[in-house]
Amino acid sequence: MAATQGTIQPGAVSLGGGSRRRELGRWLFILPVVFLNLVVIVGPALFGVYIAFTDWSGVGSMNFVGLENFARLLQDQVFWKALRNNLVWTAIFLVVPIVLGLLGAYMLTGIRRGQMFMRVAFFVPYVLPSVVTTHIWRYLMHPRVGLGQWLSDTFGIDFLDKAWLGSRDTALYGIAFMDNWHFWGFPLVLLLAAMSAVDVELYEVARLDGASRFQQFRHVTLPSIRPTLVFLLLMIAIWSALVFDYIFLTTGGGPANASEVMGTHLYTTAFERFQTGYAATIGLVMVLWVALVVGGFVYLRKRGWEI
């Protein structure tokens, strides 16, 4: 009995060695991806954090200035206007494309023939390059040859005959309108796919209980598509911090910084004024925005919210 207990089983040794070899094999497969992420993502991110504490111009030597860039940020009126415009942009895109997407998707769920054609038709603007979309809408919004001028001359409709992108009061909203036209097909298609997956029996039960179409939408559709809806809200909140292309291609942040956002302010600071260290500080604020949004959703999930 004692001899049996003290004997080392050969299978146990081979099993442990095989397990270690499998583990090593997994790491060998993962290492190229880890290395690529370190070089492409982690390395530049850490470098960006470092230069936020310097006065680097993008070339030449770096001088460590501590929190000087952050103190300057607090006194930068253009930055605060850009941050406010980012918040306005976020509010617009959390409401308009989501409402249009919900309405459009709910209406399309009742269509049996030609639904795929409708999906493609609504999704096409989303896949158009931003350069193409902005060029089209800059022409349509032109104060002399655009759609507003044509409506005014032909039908006497004057309220659209204005320089939407040339006015401080309307520039940001004009660009948001362009981007909404391009973007709203994306939430529509996602929400339509989610609605199509809702169990039909839930609607039948609701109808038997006397629920109206609105009540079915409120008590059956919305709870069933909540994960997709929350995902859209999360992504829009993140994308709103990073908005750049439509504003840069139309007004460049003008007129008089009326449509300036953090992305265009960062670009101008880094590549036109060659204040790369200060631009990195603006970039850290954008990262903080994204981190707060993601952290908020993670907190709600831990609190038991079904999101």
Side-chain angles (χ1 to χ4, degrees):
M1 180 69 70
T4 305
Q5 290 177 349
T7 302
I8 299 175
Q9 299 296 326
V13 176
S14 63
L15 180 60
S19 178
R20 284 193 295 270
R21 284 194 296 271
R22 286 194 297 271
E23 189 70 20
L24 179 61
R26 295 190 189 102
W27 276 105
L28 288 176
F29 277 107
I30 294 174
L31 278 177
V33 179
V34 173
F35 176 76
L36 185 64
N37 276 272
L38 287 173
V39 172
V40 177
I41 299 176
V42 178
L46 293 176
F47 180 68
V49 172
Y50 172 73
I51 64 176
F53 296 91
T54 70
D55 62 354
W56 192 39
S57 64
V59 293
S61 59
M62 302 180 190
N63 298 314
F64 186 79
V65 296
L67 299 176
E68 183 178 316
N69 288 331
F70 295 89
R72 175 184 171 186
L73 191 71
L74 296 176
Q75 300 174 358
D76 187 352
Q77 296 301 317
V78 177
F79 167 76
W80 289 110
K81 180 176 288 188
L83 179 60
R84 182 187 68 83
N85 287 339
N86 270 105
L87 292 172
V88 172
W89 188 277
T90 303
I92 292 173
F93 276 81
L94 286 176
V95 176
V96 177
I98 293 297
V99 171
L100 291 176
L102 282 171
L103 180 62
Y106 188 65
M107 293 175 65
L108 286 176
T109 53
I111 298 177
R112 298 298 175 218
R113 294 184 178 180
Q115 188 182 109
M116 184 56 66
F117 171 78
M118 299 296 291
R119 291 191 188 193
V120 173
F122 284 118
F123 196 72
V124 163
Y126 182 74
V127 299
L128 288 177
S130 54
V131 175
V132 175
T133 304
T134 53
H135 184 75
I136 294 171
W137 280 103
R138 285 181 67 180
Y139 180 80
L140 291 174
M141 291 183 173
H142 197 282
R144 291 192 299 273
V145 297
L147 182 62
Q149 179 68 31
W150 179 77
L151 290 173
S152 177
D153 294 342
T154 306
F155 302 103
I157 303 175
D158 298 328
F159 75 96
L160 292 176
D161 185 16
K162 59 177 66 178
W164 291 95
L165 302 179
S167 171
R168 296 177 62 182
D169 297 329
T170 59
L172 183 67
Y173 302 102
I175 303 170
F177 177 84
M178 291 185 200
D179 205 351
N180 267 299
W181 177 86
H182 138 268
F183 177 72
W184 82 281
F186 176 73
L188 183 146
V189 171
L190 285 187
L191 293 170
L192 179 58
M195 290 181 187
S196 300
V198 178
D199 191 350
V200 180
E201 293 183 359
L202 296 176
Y203 292 108
E204 293 177 356
V205 172
R207 281 194 294 269
L208 290 175
D209 288 341
S212 63
R213 286 182 63 87
F214 176 76
Q215 290 173 328
Q216 293 175 37
F217 177 77
R218 179 183 175 185
H219 297 290
V220 177
T221 305
L222 285 181
S224 299
I225 66 170
R226 183 184 300 165
T228 303
L229 187 58
V230 171
F231 167 77
L232 280 172
L233 294 175
L234 173 63
M235 297 309 300
I236 289 173
I238 293 174
W239 291 336
S240 296
L242 310 176
V243 58
F244 173 79
D245 52 350
Y246 274 78
I247 294 175
F248 180 76
L249 291 169
T250 50
T251 64
N257 304 120
S259 60
E260 195 83 67
V261 291
M262 289 188 291
T264 55
H265 188 37
L266 185 154
Y267 178 89
T268 302
T269 302
F271 300 107
E272 295 183 10
R273 300 173 187 163
F274 300 103
Q275 299 172 358
T276 309
Y278 182 57
T281 307
I282 301 172
L284 287 182
V285 175
M286 298 170 68
V287 172
L288 179 62
W289 175 311
V290 175
L292 288 175
V293 171
V294 175
F297 276 83
V298 171
Y299 173 78
L300 292 177
R301 283 185 66 87
K302 289 184 176 180
R303 297 281 294 180
W305 287 46
E306 296 181 4
I307 58 176

